Amino acid sequence: MEAFLHQVLSGLATGGIYAIVALALVMIYQATHLVNFAQGEMAMFSTYLAWTMIDAGVPYWPAFAATVALSFVLGIAIERIVIRPVEKAPVLAVVIVFIGLLVILNSVAGWIYTYTIKSFPSPFPTHRILGGYVSAHELGVMAVTMGVLVLLFVFFRFTPLGLAMRAAAQNPVSSRLVGIRVGWMLALGWGLAAAVGAVAGMMVAPIVFLDPNMMAGILLYGFAAALLGGIDNPAGAVFGGFVVGVLENLAGAYLVGTELKLTVALVLIVGVLVMRPSGLFGRVLVTRV
Amino acid sequence: MDMTDRTWRRIGLAALLALACLLPFLVSSYRTFQLTSALSYAIALLGLNILTGYNGQISLGHGAFYAIGAYVAAILMDRFGVPYWATLPAAGAVCLVIGFLFGLPALRLEGLYLALATFALALATPQILKYKLLEDWTGGVQGIVILKPDPPFGLPLDQDQWLYFFTLVVAIVMFWLGRNLLAGRIGRALVAIRDHPIAAETMGVDTAFYKATTFGVSALYTGVAGALGAIVIQFVAPDSFTLFLSITLLVGIVVGGLASISGALWGALFIQFVPNVADHISKAAPWAIYGLFLIAFMYLMPTGIAGFLRTLAARLTRRPSRR
């Protein structure tokens, strides 16, 4: 029983990271109805930026803040330069551009920082707390997830800019008519997603270590989380993240072992897509022909 | 006009074939090996192009089928002593079935979601190949080493040359079959499903059957290519079949030309030789170039090399007097 509880708690901690990634995916999906395959590599690249600063002697939290800000700017730049030209293109073209972006970010990171694994510091103490069930880092990750969630909720619910972004995503034509610059709202959405992704990257790097391919599995679980919760529902995606994190840990401990973690994600993704494509809390899409 | 077009194309094909037959005697055996490998890629690219280019189903996971084909060939040769040529139909058949089965749930997934599911498949493939319950068959992380076949009937060729001609014949057969498949009623149905699924259905095209079968056929092509690839490289291991193999195949069809048969050949030459050149700059350079080409082709040349050549040829033949 104790081992079970431990598995659930540490699943919740990794689930927090999946939830953040899922949130970033949902943010871009809501604005553009696209799934960003490069989200993981964007987060990985941001984490390398943070590593560079910390390595140069910047204390953790200033480096954290600077990385989030820098990622925000980079996210906007990517939307403006790379994504905007294919805004109206067919899905295939957009997916190919996303994959191109993934490959470029991955190889540039490998080029600059090499493919050797680096350790990444955690801002939280390493010892275990709460009777040994969770490590302080795991608890810290959960707290950061909650913080990000609350911030985003407040931003989208109570600020004029958040309202404008939601309007631009839901009804671009009317939004343009009332004077919202829809194109820039999309870019802001990309910036926010990149910033949120950067947080996920910095939270997960102490666990999985830093290398250019570190986000592949995490992105996959982020996909699974977003799909499970409903890809157009931010709260659902967060819930999905925690569920998927716990499921992953339990399946790893009792069912298939840790070597098949990605396969569990594959089964989850295909299962959700086939049985309930709109996820647990997503809207059912009805297409008019 | 139509007549001359056709004759020109025949002359071109004959010249290409003659060149293909001469090449192994002109270049080193390492280059021959590379050309063989490019030919096997071309078959895989044709398979992916049938699915993604013609039928519009996005697959980011075709490396998985390439892996299955390679492993079927390696296991049959290594564990059961099956001759190399007999592994190709087996690899094709296994991939046809698995592709069809994967295609069934994929029917419900449109565009983006299919891309997601196949992306997950590509990421999970190396793990599944390493799984310890399959280790007796797959050799786990170590993989399987297989032997290079000798030329039969005492032909005066070395092993690399023989394998080249063997692959060339398989490729010609596969391309000929693919062309016949795509040029007729079935090909038009596939394109109709891609461009307007509802209209296609109204015209009496059995969309579900076509889509699942296309997935199967596409996997068959890729599986045969995988088997050839394994025989050529004489080695299979889980880490050769990562997400990046699937992306390589995607790069191949985008650069070669989506929905084009000759595009598969151009794409194969690209993914075989460009990384070799770029490797001299940095280990990461081939991938940086792949990424740039993916995006640049989507912006500037969405029909790929094949489309570019087609436009060029059309422009040259249309205005011969003004030159």
Side-chain angles (χ1 to χ4, degrees), chain B residues 43-247:
Chain B
I43 299 173
L45 293 181
L46 181 58
L48 181 57
N49 224 341
I50 291 174
L51 184 72
T52 301
Y54 284 91
N55 199 210
Q57 302 192 67
I58 308 171
S59 171
L60 302 177
H62 254 49
F65 298 109
Y66 196 85
I68 294 171
Y71 266 91
V72 167
I75 291 170
L76 285 179
M77 284 171 74
D78 182 59
R79 300 282 191 275
F80 298 97
V82 176
Y84 64 96
W85 48 267
T87 63
L88 298 188
V94 170
C95 283
L96 176 69
V97 172
I98 295 180
F100 185 81
L101 292 179
F102 196 86
L104 282 181
L107 285 180
R108 299 191 51 178
L109 313 180
E110 282 195 4
L112 208 55
Y113 295 106
L114 183 62
L116 252 173
T118 47
F119 183 78
L121 178 68
L123 277 174
T125 302
Q127 269 197 345
I128 298 173
L129 293 175
K130 281 179 204 166
Y131 191 49
K132 55 179 181 294
L133 291 182
L134 299 173
E135 220 167 57
D136 283 344
W137 297 79
T138 59
V141 187
Q142 311 290 321
I144 305 169
V145 177
I146 47 186
L147 295 175
K148 201 176 256 187
D150 283 319
F153 323 121
L155 286 173
L157 299 168
D158 65 29
Q159 286 176 326
D160 286 313
Q161 287 168 338
W162 162 243
L163 213 49
Y164 172 84
F165 282 110
F166 177 70
T167 311
L168 184 64
V169 169
V170 176
I172 290 172
V173 171
M174 297 298 273
F175 269 75
W176 179 70
L177 289 174
R179 190 206 150 271
N180 286 354
L181 188 77
L182 292 169
R185 194 167 55 90
I186 296 173
R188 285 197 300 278
L190 295 187
V191 173
I193 291 170
R194 175 192 70 191
D195 290 342
H196 207 307
I198 294 156
E201 192 122 19
T202 326
M203 301 289 286
V205 176
D206 185 350
T207 316
F209 173 77
Y210 269 108
K211 278 177 121 176
T213 312
T214 308
F215 217 109
V217 170
S218 165
L220 178 148
Y221 269 80
T222 312
V224 169
L228 279 169
I231 297 168
V232 172
I233 295 171
Q234 300 172 266
F235 178 58
V236 291
D239 288 324
S240 343
F241 305 107
T242 58
L243 171 68
F244 286 102
L245 173 64
S246 299
I247 295 182

Side-chain angles (χ1 to χ4, degrees), chain A residues 82 103 107 259 262 274 289, chain B residues 108 127 132 198 284 287-288 299:
Chain A
V82 185
V103 170
S107 59
E259 307 108 54
L262 292 176
V274 170
V289 292
Chain B
R108 299 191 51 178
Q127 269 197 345
K132 55 179 181 294
I198 294 156
W287 288 103
Y299 292 164

Side-chain angles (χ1 to χ4, degrees), chain A:
Chain A
M1 190 59 209
E2 214 163 275
F4 178 78
L5 206 61
H6 176 74
Q7 291 295 345
V8 169
L9 280 173
S10 89
L12 283 177
T14 34
I17 294 162
Y18 300 151
I20 306 181
V21 175
L23 208 55
L25 290 169
V26 168
M27 219 173 298
I28 288 178
Y29 184 85
Q30 275 192 317
T32 55
H33 288 267
L34 292 169
V35 174
N36 181 8
F37 287 92
Q39 188 73 58
E41 312 307 290
M42 282 163 61
M44 174 275 296
F45 205 83
S46 300
T47 314
Y48 267 109
L49 293 178
W51 180 85
T52 314
M53 284 184 243
I54 293 169
D55 199 47
V58 182
Y60 186 90
W61 289 110
F64 181 93
T67 304
V68 171
L70 208 57
S71 305
F72 180 76
V73 176
L74 282 178
I76 290 180
I78 287 177
E79 200 277 342
R80 291 277 106 174
I81 299 164
V82 185
I83 307 300
R84 209 171 153 71
V86 286
E87 217 173 14
K88 302 263 185 307
V91 180
L92 176 60
V94 184
V95 169
I96 288 170
V97 168
F98 278 147
I99 294 293
L101 196 58
L102 181 160
V103 170
I104 290 177
L105 287 172
N106 188 290
S107 59
V108 169
W111 205 326
I112 301 174
Y113 297 104
T114 74
Y115 290 93
T116 39
I117 293 169
K118 294 176 167 56
S119 67
F120 190 85
S122 163
F124 310 108
T126 46
H127 59 82
R128 310 190 71 79
I129 46 176
L130 296 180
Y133 281 124
V134 268
S135 71
H137 180 74
E138 287 173 335
L139 203 68
V141 168
M142 283 190 242
V144 168
T145 312
M146 287 303 158
V148 170
L149 276 182
V150 170
L151 275 181
L152 283 177
F153 176 77
V154 169
F155 173 74
F156 278 110
R157 182 73 183 73
F158 296 112
T159 66
L161 188 58
L163 183 67
M165 282 179 69
R166 283 192 290 150
Q170 271 174 19
N171 196 336
V173 180
S174 305
S175 307
R176 197 167 284 123
L177 286 177
V178 297
I180 296 170
R181 296 175 68 181
V182 174
W184 272 104
M185 293 303 124
L186 297 186
L188 275 184
W190 267 81
L192 275 181
V196 169
V199 174
M202 285 184 282
M203 288 297 115
V204 81
I207 305 171
V208 298
F209 296 105
L210 188 55
D211 86 299
N213 298 319
M214 73 169 189
M215 290 303 283
I218 293 159
L219 179 67
L220 206 52
Y221 272 97
F223 281 147
L227 289 171
L228 184 67
I231 191 135
D232 49 9
N233 185 335
V238 171
F239 177 78
F242 285 114
V243 171
V244 165
V246 173
L247 272 182
E248 177 207 4
N249 255 26
L250 292 182
Y254 300 109
L255 230 59
V256 289
T258 48
E259 307 108 54
L260 283 185
K261 280 197 168 189
L262 292 176
T263 316
V264 173
L266 167 69
V267 172
L268 269 172
I269 288 175
V270 175
V272 171
L273 284 176
V274 170
M275 285 189 266
R276 206 182 159 89
S278 54
L280 292 175
F281 308 106
R283 268 177 306 141
V284 178
L285 264 187
V286 182
T287 317
R288 196 181 162 146
V289 292

